[in-house]
Amino acid sequence: MIFTGDSYTADIDFVNKEKQQIIFPNPVSDDVTIGNGQLAIGSEIKIVDALGKEVYSAISKTSTLRLQVSSLSSGIYFLKINSGESYQTTKLMKM
């Protein structure tokens, strides 16, 4: 935890290295693939923008998920995966 004037910030790594999901390509322009056979079925998938607004939400039905993100504006997003056993947040850059 770091104190900067009148506020605290925390540097937290949400990635479980043993269960790290494969996400490609990143940066992405049209379609992004999540899992590559390693995504837990029933995982909750969310994409949120830099302000925290949810722009996509789904439950995985397979161990690999392909999302079409061409409708998203260019910028930085965060892909959140909650499998019930682990939680991962990954930065996703939309071109």
Side-chain angles (χ1 to χ4, degrees):
M1 183 138 334
I2 303 165
F3 181 70
T4 56
D6 58 353
S7 64
Y8 287 93
T9 60
D11 183 20
I12 302 171
D13 182 10
F14 289 105
V15 178
N16 179 338
K17 300 296 183 196
E18 294 176 5
K19 295 186 178 186
Q20 184 172 2
Q21 304 297 333
I22 308 235
I23 300 164
F24 61 92
N26 194 6
V28 60
S29 57
D30 295 319
D31 296 332
V32 63
T33 301
I34 303 166
N36 197 24
Q38 299 177 26
L39 184 65
I41 295 173
S43 294
E44 180 180 34
I45 311 294
K46 292 183 180 183
I47 298 177
V48 298
D49 65 16
L51 298 175
K53 179 182 175 189
E54 186 177 301
V55 295
Y56 179 85
S57 179
I59 302 295
S60 65
K61 296 180 181 176
T62 62
S63 59
T64 301
L65 183 63
R66 188 171 180 174
L67 305 179
Q68 184 180 48
V69 295
S70 58
S71 63
L72 295 178
S73 299
S74 296
I76 302 293
Y77 294 86
F78 295 94
L79 175 68
K80 298 181 176 194
I81 302 171
N82 184 351
S83 70
E85 293 179 13
S86 65
Y87 182 84
Q88 177 182 340
T89 299
T90 303
K91 187 174 9 177
L92 182 67
M93 182 178 286
K94 169 66 168 70
M95 306 277 291

